[in-house]
Amino acid sequence: MLGVIKNSLFGSVETWPWQVLSKGDKEEVSYEERACEGGKFATVEVTDKPVDEALREAMPKVVKYVGGTNDKGIGMGMTVPISFAVFPGEDGSLQKKLKVWFRIPNQFQSNPPVPSDDSVKIEEREGITVYSTQFGGYAKEADYIAHAAQLRTALEGTATYRSDIYFCTGYDPPMKPYGRRNEVWLVKT
């Protein structure tokens, strides 16, 4: 586990492969349209808890799996971003359901270690195309909701995307105080 933290702070971190298809700027919101590769992901789902609380429960499980709490005892290293799916209600607030998605590093894609924790699942995910906007700071549920609303407004009339789900992403370990990168991804339909 210490190795995962050290690598994420000082080492190279593998980035989830994607291709930027286009860039846009509207109403002070910059965004990209990206085609993100699919692959195998370690996932943890938490229900019946607010997003921030659910994240505090799910993230350590994923980090422990990646750090070596698996059948091979292998620390795999980090990939970024770590994303989590949220499910908005009609009023824009988020339901008490969250699913963390961690893309397994390329060298383990064909044969990922089996998680020791039964709540961590390995799932195959198809590639997706998303509209992404970036922001800084220590992101909380309210930040993701606000940035998702801004991105929806910027895309109004020019793009179609799913309204039942979106992804919140983070690129930095919790102990990185400055230059933090977060994003909201709306899934193109």
Side-chain angles (χ1 to χ4, degrees):
M1 175 96 135
L2 193 56
V4 169
I5 294 168
K6 186 179 126 214
N7 283 344
S8 64
L9 281 174
F10 307 111
S12 62
V13 177
E14 186 177 309
T15 301
W16 180 354
W18 69 62
Q19 177 182 2
V20 176
L21 303 175
S22 66
K23 293 183 179 198
D25 235 336
K26 186 175 177 190
E27 303 193 20
E28 297 182 24
V29 176
S30 295
Y31 59 89
E32 293 180 341
E33 179 183 2
R34 299 180 187 156
C36 303
E37 275 188 23
K40 291 188 175 90
F41 289 76
T43 67
V44 175
E45 189 167 330
V46 178
T47 56
D48 298 324
K49 293 186 179 174
V51 168
D52 293 336
E53 186 180 333
L55 265 181
R56 283 191 297 276
E57 180 180 318
M59 287 302 296
K61 293 178 180 189
V62 172
V63 171
K64 285 178 184 175
Y65 166 69
V66 170
T69 306
N70 54 60
D71 69 334
K72 297 177 183 165
I74 295 174
M76 294 181 275
M78 295 297 290
T79 60
V80 291
I82 292 179
S83 63
F84 57 97
V86 294
F87 305 88
E90 295 270 328
D91 63 355
S93 68
L94 301 180
Q95 298 174 30
K96 291 185 176 184
K97 178 181 177 184
L98 169 136
K99 188 169 190 175
V100 171
W101 296 84
F102 174 83
R103 190 172 193 281
I104 293 172
N106 286 330
Q107 74 179 88
F108 298 99
Q109 276 289 313
S110 62
N111 188 21
V114 176
S116 300
D117 181 338
D118 290 341
S119 66
V120 180
K121 308 290 184 215
I122 304 300
E123 296 182 20
E124 184 82 27
R125 184 162 136 186
E126 296 294 317
I128 57 173
T129 299
V130 299
Y131 298 101
S132 171
T133 190
Q134 182 177 322
F135 62 99
Y138 282 98
K140 300 277 187 223
E141 179 177 352
D143 301 311
Y144 290 114
I145 291 171
H147 286 278
Q150 290 171 356
L151 182 55
R152 280 191 215 93
T153 299
L155 294 172
E156 202 169 286
T158 62
T160 57
Y161 49 85
R162 290 182 59 178
S163 60
D164 62 331
I165 186 174
Y166 62 87
F167 289 92
C168 306
T169 69
Y171 288 76
D172 304 299
M175 62 292 287
K176 182 180 177 186
Y178 303 106
R180 298 185 63 78
R181 179 178 175 185
N182 311 290
E183 294 175 344
V184 170
W185 294 0
L186 301 180
V187 181
K188 184 177 180 178
T189 55

